[in-house]
Protein backbone atom coordinates (compact mmCIF):
# COMPACT_ATOMS: atom_id res chain seq x y z
CA UNK A 1 0.00 0.00 0.00
CA UNK A 2 1.50 3.31 -1.13
CA UNK A 3 0.35 6.25 1.00
CA UNK A 4 1.12 9.88 0.35
CA UNK A 5 3.58 11.26 2.89
CA UNK A 6 2.21 14.48 4.43
CA UNK A 7 4.26 17.66 4.25
CA UNK A 8 4.61 17.69 8.05
CA UNK A 9 6.23 14.24 8.00
CA UNK A 10 8.57 15.31 5.18
CA UNK A 11 9.59 18.36 7.22
CA UNK A 12 10.08 16.29 10.35
CA UNK A 13 12.18 13.78 8.40
CA UNK A 14 14.45 16.51 7.02
CA UNK A 15 14.76 18.21 10.40
CA UNK A 16 15.72 14.93 12.09
CA UNK A 17 18.42 14.48 9.44
CA UNK A 18 19.63 18.04 10.10
CA UNK A 19 19.81 17.20 13.83
CA UNK A 20 21.85 14.06 13.13
CA UNK A 21 24.09 16.04 10.77
CA UNK A 22 24.65 18.63 13.48
CA UNK A 23 25.57 15.83 15.88
CA UNK A 24 28.11 14.48 13.37
CA UNK A 25 29.51 18.00 12.88
CA UNK A 26 29.82 18.51 16.66
CA UNK A 27 31.60 15.16 16.96
CA UNK A 28 34.02 16.18 14.21
CA UNK A 29 34.80 19.46 15.99
CA UNK A 30 35.36 17.66 19.32
CA UNK A 31 37.64 15.06 17.72
CA UNK A 32 39.61 17.74 15.87
CA UNK A 33 40.10 19.65 19.12
CA UNK A 34 41.24 16.52 20.98
CA UNK A 35 43.67 15.53 18.26
CA UNK A 36 45.07 19.04 17.83
CA UNK A 37 45.62 19.39 21.57
CA UNK A 38 48.10 16.52 21.44
CA UNK A 39 45.83 14.12 23.28
CA UNK A 40 47.38 10.67 23.51
CA UNK A 41 43.99 8.96 23.60
CA UNK A 42 44.02 8.37 19.82
CA UNK A 43 42.67 4.81 19.95
CA UNK A 44 40.03 5.77 22.52
CA UNK A 45 38.93 8.62 20.30
CA UNK A 46 38.66 6.31 17.31
CA UNK A 47 36.56 3.83 19.32
CA UNK A 48 34.25 6.67 20.40
CA UNK A 49 33.93 7.84 16.80
CA UNK A 50 33.10 4.29 15.71
CA UNK A 51 30.44 3.86 18.39
CA UNK A 52 28.91 7.26 17.70
CA UNK A 53 28.90 6.58 13.96
CA UNK A 54 26.98 3.34 14.55
CA UNK A 55 24.51 5.24 16.73
CA UNK A 56 24.06 7.92 14.05
CA UNK A 57 23.48 5.22 11.43
CA UNK A 58 20.89 3.53 13.66
CA UNK A 59 19.14 6.87 14.18
CA UNK A 60 18.98 7.49 10.43
CA UNK A 61 17.40 4.03 10.07
CA UNK A 62 14.77 4.96 12.68
CA UNK A 63 14.16 8.32 10.97
CA UNK A 64 13.53 6.55 7.65
CA UNK A 65 11.12 4.16 9.36
CA UNK A 66 9.29 7.12 10.93
CA UNK A 67 8.88 8.68 7.48
CA UNK A 68 7.38 5.38 6.30
CA UNK A 69 4.68 5.54 8.97
CA UNK A 70 6.10 3.24 11.66
CA UNK A 71 4.61 4.30 14.99
CA UNK A 72 7.39 2.55 16.94
CA UNK A 73 9.93 4.79 15.16
CA UNK A 74 8.01 7.92 16.10
CA UNK A 75 8.01 6.77 19.73
CA UNK A 76 11.74 5.96 19.64
CA UNK A 77 12.54 9.38 18.17
CA UNK A 78 10.35 11.09 20.74
CA UNK A 79 12.02 9.32 23.68
CA UNK A 80 15.62 9.05 22.50
CA UNK A 81 16.15 12.26 20.55
CA UNK A 82 13.28 14.40 21.77
CA UNK A 83 13.68 13.50 25.43
CA UNK A 84 17.08 12.07 26.32
CA UNK A 85 18.86 13.80 23.43
CA UNK A 86 17.45 17.20 24.29
CA UNK A 87 18.42 16.83 27.93
CA UNK A 88 21.96 15.84 26.91
CA UNK A 89 22.20 18.88 24.62
CA UNK A 90 21.21 21.19 27.45
CA UNK A 91 23.11 19.58 30.36
CA UNK A 92 26.59 20.93 29.56
CA UNK A 93 25.54 24.58 29.14
CA UNK A 94 23.30 24.44 32.23
CA UNK A 95 26.04 22.80 34.31
CA UNK A 96 28.55 25.35 33.05
CA UNK A 97 26.27 28.21 34.10
CA UNK A 98 25.57 26.58 37.48
CA UNK A 99 29.33 26.47 38.11
CA UNK A 100 29.24 30.27 38.19
CA UNK A 101 30.22 31.03 34.63
CA UNK A 102 28.46 33.78 32.73
CA UNK A 103 27.44 34.38 29.15
CA UNK A 104 29.91 37.28 29.09
CA UNK A 105 32.71 34.82 29.83
CA UNK A 106 31.53 32.53 27.05
CA UNK A 107 31.33 35.32 24.51
CA UNK A 108 34.72 36.86 25.32
CA UNK A 109 36.51 33.51 25.21
CA UNK A 110 35.05 32.33 21.91
CA UNK A 111 37.24 30.70 19.32
CA UNK A 112 36.35 29.68 15.78
CA UNK A 113 35.88 26.14 17.05
CA UNK A 114 33.67 27.07 19.97
CA UNK A 115 31.63 29.42 17.77
CA UNK A 116 31.02 26.70 15.17
CA UNK A 117 30.19 24.22 17.92
CA UNK A 118 27.76 26.68 19.54
CA UNK A 119 26.02 27.47 16.26
CA UNK A 120 25.77 23.77 15.49
CA UNK A 121 24.33 23.07 18.94
CA UNK A 122 21.65 25.75 18.43
CA UNK A 123 20.78 24.32 15.00
CA UNK A 124 20.77 20.84 16.52
CA UNK A 125 18.39 21.77 19.32
CA UNK A 126 16.09 23.83 17.10
CA UNK A 127 15.91 20.98 14.58
CA UNK A 128 14.95 18.46 17.26
CA UNK A 129 12.22 20.68 18.67
CA UNK A 130 10.80 21.51 15.23
CA UNK A 131 11.01 17.86 14.10
CA UNK A 132 9.05 16.81 17.18
CA UNK A 133 6.38 19.42 16.55
CA UNK A 134 5.94 18.41 12.89
CA UNK A 135 5.90 14.73 13.84
CA UNK A 136 2.82 15.27 16.03
CA UNK A 137 0.79 17.72 13.96
CA UNK A 138 -2.73 16.56 12.97
CA UNK A 139 -1.74 15.45 9.46
CA UNK A 140 1.13 13.43 10.93
CA UNK A 141 -1.13 11.81 13.51
CA UNK A 142 -3.57 10.87 10.75
CA UNK A 143 -0.70 9.45 8.68
CA UNK A 144 0.53 7.22 11.50
CA UNK A 145 -2.97 6.06 12.42
CA UNK A 146 -3.56 5.07 8.77
CA UNK A 147 -0.85 2.42 9.25
CA UNK A 148 -2.28 1.11 12.52
CA UNK A 149 -4.46 -1.51 10.90
CA UNK A 150 -2.05 -2.30 8.08
Amino acid sequence: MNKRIPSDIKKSYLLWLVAVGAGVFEMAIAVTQMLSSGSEAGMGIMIQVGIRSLIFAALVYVIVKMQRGKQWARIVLTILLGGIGTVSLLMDPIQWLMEGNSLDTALTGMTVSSTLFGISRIVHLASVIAALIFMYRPSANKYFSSFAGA
Side-chain angles (χ1 to χ4, degrees):
M1 184 179 350
N2 192 6
K3 298 186 183 189
R4 188 179 156 281
I5 300 171
S7 173
D8 287 336
I9 292 297
K10 290 177 184 177
K11 290 173 188 171
S12 180
Y13 171 80
L14 290 173
L15 287 161
W16 284 125
L17 292 178
V18 168
V20 169
V24 170
F25 183 73
E26 291 161 20
M27 177 181 69
I29 290 172
V31 168
T32 301
Q33 284 180 320
M34 283 188 257
L35 293 175
S36 68
S37 71
S39 173
E40 294 183 20
M43 183 55 109
I45 292 170
M46 296 317 293
I47 290 170
Q48 280 187 23
V49 168
I51 291 169
R52 287 176 187 257
S53 296
L54 289 173
I55 291 168
F56 290 137
L59 289 171
V60 169
Y61 172 80
V62 174
I63 292 165
V64 168
K65 291 298 183 180
M66 179 279 300
Q67 185 193 34
R68 293 182 180 166
K70 302 295 182 188
Q71 181 67 18
W72 66 264
R74 180 163 80 153
I75 293 167
V76 167
L77 290 170
T78 301
I79 294 168
L80 290 183
L81 294 182
I84 297 167
T86 299
V87 168
S88 73
L89 290 173
L90 294 173
M91 279 182 55
D92 284 343
I94 290 171
Q95 184 178 7
W96 186 80
L97 287 170
M98 289 176 64
E99 290 171 354
N101 295 298
S102 70
L103 292 177
D104 278 349
T105 305
L107 295 174
T108 57
M110 290 180 80
T111 62
V112 170
S113 231
S114 66
T115 301
L116 290 174
F117 191 90
I119 291 168
S120 180
R121 185 57 57 101
I122 291 166
V123 168
H124 193 158
L125 187 57
S127 297
V128 167
I129 292 167
L132 277 170
I133 291 167
F134 283 118
M135 200 169 62
Y136 283 95
R137 290 185 40 100
S139 67
N141 291 335
K142 185 177 177 182
Y143 178 69
F144 284 104
S145 64
S146 74
F147 287 94

